[in-house]
Structure formats: structure tokens, C-alpha cells
Amino acid sequence: KMGQIISCRENLLPDEWIKALERLQDRVPAKSGNEAMELAYAAMGSRKNFEDVFADFDSVPLAAASLGQVHLAKLKGSNESVAVKIQRPKLRQIYDQDLVMMKKIAGIMDKFGGKTSRVGGVEQSWFQIFSDAELILYREIDYRDEAENGIRFMQDFGIGKGGQSVEPTAKSRDNQTLPSAAPWLRAPYVYGNLSSEQVLVMEYVPSI
């Protein structure tokens, strides 16, 4: 993940290094079959918790990224199709260990190798870059943040489950209710009650 962040900072490393690190952005191996199911059970807390929520779960992911992967599933009872984002195991423990070590290395690089560069007149350091990245990384592995943002987005724009129009919570500058954006904007409904730090459950909305 740190390699992905550094790959977006072209001022830090030579071009050949940046190009190599860019491969980390979208070439991530996925877990399928039994491995995927065990990943899902762990993220849900137990196999029982998992089976209480999902009636069907495709063990072949729709997509995979560095922090997790997304599976198509059906909810128990309603049989609604949902996209389930499952986090890879033990990420927080890995971050706790690796980021401490990397910040120490960054401090040594600043001390003996000099600062990275000046951008917009501001001198940057490796330690500061890693400290900033640390805040971003810890937020990314808490899917509750993503769930809250998704729910607030739907509420602000007046979009309900299934793309239905509802009254938006956002107001105009003169405090007037805005029209729903549902006729021209589509976003997945987020099941906040089923989501957690390691699992994000959303309405499945196929696209082109």
C-alpha cells in the first residue's frame, strides 16, 4: 500500500522506480474458493455470523485490491443482491508493526540522505510523508468510515435504495430543500447495520 502512495509522488523517485511501483495499483492477487470463504468468515467474526446474514455468496471475487476484495452475495430473508467488500486478514496488526519500522527508516533517510525535495516552496521529508500516509492508511482499513461516507452521500443527494428519489438532507444556500439527484445519479445503498470495520455491505449496482 505504501508503494501505491509513493507511486503517485513523481518528485520522490526516478521514473523507472515510479513505473515499477505503479504496478502495485491494480495487479493484486485475489483469494477464491475455500480461501475466500475463510476470509469472509474471519471478517464477519465467525461462520455462524456469516450464515446468519447471507443466503448465498459467490466465492469468486468480482474484484480485488490491496486491502480487500469484493464478492457478489444475496441477503438472507430478503434475497437482495449485494456487493460485499471483505478486508484482508490482520491488516491492522501488520500496519502497527510495519509503519513503526518504516517511520524509523524514514527518519534515518532524512538524517543521512537529506530531504526529498521542495514542492511549492515547502521542504518535505521522508518522515513527514510516511506520517501523512499513516493517517490515510489507518482510515482506509476501517470500512465504517466508508460506510458512513456512502450513507451521507445518499442522504445529501436524496437517493434511496434501488435508486428511488427521497428528500435530500442537503440544503441550498438560502436553506431551501434541493431536488433529489436520483433521476440522473445512481449510487449503491449502504447497509450500515451489516457493515463493520472489516466488512462493507452495499446494494449491488452493475455498471457498463
Side-chain angles (χ1 to χ4, degrees):
K1 191 66 185 180
M2 192 62 73
Q4 291 179 1
I5 292 173
I6 294 175
S7 73
C8 298
R9 301 291 298 273
E10 297 180 357
N11 59 305
L12 298 181
L13 296 170
D15 289 345
E16 57 269 24
W17 285 56
I18 294 296
K19 289 178 180 178
L21 291 171
E22 283 176 349
R23 293 201 294 268
L24 298 173
Q25 295 181 12
D26 55 9
R27 301 184 188 179
V28 182
K31 293 183 182 295
S32 299
N34 289 335
E35 280 189 315
M37 297 308 298
E38 291 301 324
L39 182 66
Y41 298 153
M44 291 291 293
S46 69
R47 180 168 182 168
K48 181 181 183 305
N49 291 346
F50 175 89
E51 292 176 344
D52 284 345
V53 173
F54 301 111
D56 185 50
F57 188 89
D58 189 345
S59 64
V60 179
L62 294 171
S66 58
L67 302 182
Q69 53 191 52
V70 178
H71 294 261
L72 182 62
K74 288 187 181 295
L75 294 180
K76 206 165 190 177
S78 66
N79 211 37
E80 293 171 276
S81 293
V82 291
V84 185
K85 187 176 180 180
I86 303 291
Q87 190 176 116
R88 295 183 186 275
K90 299 181 179 179
L91 284 183
R92 186 168 290 278
Q93 297 95 308
I94 293 170
Y95 280 15
D96 288 344
Q97 296 171 5
D98 289 358
L99 287 171
V100 168
M101 178 183 66
M102 293 177 78
K103 285 173 73 175
K104 288 181 178 178
I105 294 172
I108 294 171
M109 291 171 66
D110 283 341
K111 185 175 182 180
F112 296 103
K115 305 296 182 181
T116 58
S117 65
R118 295 180 68 88
V119 177
V122 178
E123 189 174 74
Q124 297 184 105
S125 71
W126 284 105
F127 184 85
Q128 188 58 53
I129 289 169
F130 277 87
S131 296
D132 292 344
E134 181 180 23
L135 296 174
I136 296 170
L137 291 172
Y138 275 113
R139 288 195 64 183
E140 283 192 341
I141 61 171
D142 190 341
Y143 288 169
R144 291 170 297 189
D145 264 2
E146 191 171 341
E148 288 172 6
N149 289 335
I151 291 169
R152 187 168 63 251
F153 180 92
M154 298 281 282
Q155 291 173 342
D156 285 347
F157 283 88
I159 306 170
K161 186 189 291 187
Q164 294 181 345
S165 294
V166 298
E167 184 174 316
T169 56
K171 303 288 185 180
S172 64
R173 289 185 178 180
D174 55 358
N175 203 37
Q176 297 298 308
T177 300
L178 296 169
S180 169
W184 56 269
L185 181 64
R186 187 71 165 92
Y189 176 84
V190 177
Y191 294 82
N193 61 318
L194 301 179
S195 299
S196 66
E197 181 179 353
Q198 296 180 324
V199 179
L200 180 63
V201 182
M202 300 172 288
E203 174 188 12
Y204 177 58
V205 181
S207 59
I208 297 175

